[in-house]
Amino acid sequence: MKPTELTSADFDYVRTLVRDRAAIVLEEDKHYLIETRLQTLARADGLRSAREIMEHMRRDRTSSWHTKVVEAMTTNETSFFRDLKPFEALRKMVFPALVAQRRAERRLSVWCAACSTGQEPYSIAMIMRDPAVVPAGWTTRIQATDLATNVLERAKLGRYNQFEVNRGLPAHLLVKYFQKQGTEWQVKDELRSMIEFKLLNLIEPWPNLPETDVVFLRNVLIYFDVETKRRILAKVRRILRPDGYLFLGGAETTLNLDDAFVRVDFDGSGCYRLRSF
């Protein structure tokens, strides 16, 4: 597709839209990123150029194109057991500690707050299915949310190509929890049934979420400004159980954002607990 030669006004329109709808700050040097993703979106929807998308949005400010553009601008990079160490912390430290603390309840809950195409919650589900980590007979619940409907649909489907399963998924888990369907791999129902996928935009009012033992909010806060980060962490505090755990991305921290959290290190992986605990 030929360059669309979007105007400065077009770029500003998209940057403002994404900031207002998703609180994601696209710096002025992101013109190439914006243009490339709009071109890809146009091609996928049978349009000739990104300029046509801009025309549709300006013609009708309630059109579905606004949502499509916001979703196209969000980063959905993910993989199974991404960065590995947080998942090892779950397996070796967090879940064993919670199992000891929840023996009377025999119930554990996890929230993946930006689940993208689902590899993260499915990775956690595989850990929770291991009876050496969470005893058989316990009730386990994973909520997985994202603001993009397109990636949520893929996550619900639970179907991945060979490249995707090759990224971080051990062979024995692939064989155990996936079925080959043509050139793709389908997550088995025993794993899919553990996860509830829902649409949720972190900067908008949250529904009444139940208290949870573990929150995965990894590689999300880096896209927000300081005040948005503080608001989100304050809301996380309200749903995280007093002895629960918060996981952020390797480049993220609660430092100078929310003093209620304290960092806990485990073999090079950092997670956070409420300071009052």
Side-chain angles (χ1 to χ4, degrees):
M1 184 178 290
K2 296 180 180 180
T4 60
E5 298 182 355
L6 296 179
T7 67
S8 295
D10 291 331
F11 289 122
D12 288 343
Y13 188 101
V14 173
R15 291 172 61 231
T16 300
L17 172 68
V18 174
R19 186 190 64 228
D20 291 346
R21 295 278 187 95
I24 295 173
V25 179
L26 295 173
E27 303 294 345
E28 291 189 8
D29 62 356
K30 297 296 184 182
H31 285 191
Y32 175 78
L33 171 71
I34 293 171
E35 185 154 356
T36 299
R37 293 193 178 179
L38 286 183
Q39 287 175 339
T40 301
L41 181 60
R43 187 183 302 116
D45 280 70
L47 301 183
R48 292 189 302 274
S49 69
R51 177 62 59 82
E52 286 191 62
I53 294 178
M54 300 305 305
E55 292 171 354
H56 282 300
M57 288 196 295
R58 285 198 166 93
R59 189 180 308 122
D60 180 4
R61 292 183 178 269
T62 64
S63 76
S64 61
W65 281 106
H66 291 79
T67 299
K68 290 180 180 181
V69 168
V70 172
E71 292 182 353
M73 294 301 147
T74 59
T75 300
N76 297 306
E77 170 63 22
T78 187
S79 61
F80 290 100
F81 298 98
R82 184 181 182 186
D83 303 326
L84 189 58
K85 287 185 177 180
F87 298 94
E88 286 300 295
L90 277 183
R91 180 187 301 276
K92 297 178 180 179
M93 178 186 75
V94 172
F95 283 146
L98 288 171
V99 165
Q101 294 158 10
R102 305 282 189 268
R103 291 198 182 278
E105 303 175 28
R106 298 174 63 83
R107 181 186 301 269
L108 288 175
S109 61
V110 177
W111 176 33
C112 295
C115 69
S116 187
T117 46
Q119 286 93 323
E120 180 178 272
Y122 286 125
S123 298
I124 296 173
M126 284 183 261
I127 295 174
M128 299 181 85
R129 288 287 297 181
D130 185 347
V133 179
V134 178
W138 280 53
T139 300
T140 56
R141 182 171 184 267
I142 301 174
Q143 283 199 116
T145 64
D146 202 279
L147 65 80
T149 55
N150 56 338
V151 297
L152 273 179
E153 289 305 314
R154 281 210 61 212
K156 290 177 184 178
L157 185 62
R159 188 174 295 169
Y160 301 95
N161 61 37
Q162 191 66 50
F163 173 76
E164 290 168 323
V165 298
N166 283 346
R167 296 186 66 199
L169 184 61
H172 72 282
L173 294 179
L174 174 63
V175 173
K176 185 174 184 178
Y177 291 114
F178 292 73
Q179 290 179 322
K180 191 71 180 294
Q181 292 190 352
T183 61
E184 296 182 313
W185 292 87
Q186 175 68 57
V187 179
K188 291 182 179 179
D189 288 344
E190 64 183 278
L191 216 60
R192 294 174 66 195
S193 64
M194 296 175 62
I195 306 170
E196 183 180 13
F197 291 99
K198 289 184 176 180
L199 188 69
L200 186 138
N201 186 332
L202 291 172
I203 71 162
E204 295 180 353
W206 294 7
N208 291 325
L209 298 173
E211 282 192 322
T212 189
D213 298 300
V214 178
V215 174
F216 259 53
L217 186 65
R218 301 185 62 231
N219 306 305
V220 181
L221 295 182
I222 53 175
Y223 298 106
F224 299 142
D225 60 32
V226 170
E227 287 307 313
T228 303
K229 292 176 184 179
R230 286 175 175 158
R231 287 196 299 270
I232 290 173
L233 287 172
K235 290 196 280 189
V236 168
R237 267 194 281 117
R238 293 197 287 270
I239 67 165
L240 185 66
R241 296 187 69 171
D243 56 351
Y245 296 80
L246 166 66
F247 283 82
L248 300 179
E252 298 169 324
T253 180
T254 63
L255 189 64
N256 297 323
L257 295 173
D258 195 321
D259 293 337
F261 289 99
V262 59
R263 183 180 171 92
V264 178
D265 288 302
F266 176 79
D267 192 24
S269 174
C271 58
Y272 298 83
R273 307 193 77 183
L274 291 172
R275 189 178 297 276
S276 58
F277 173 68

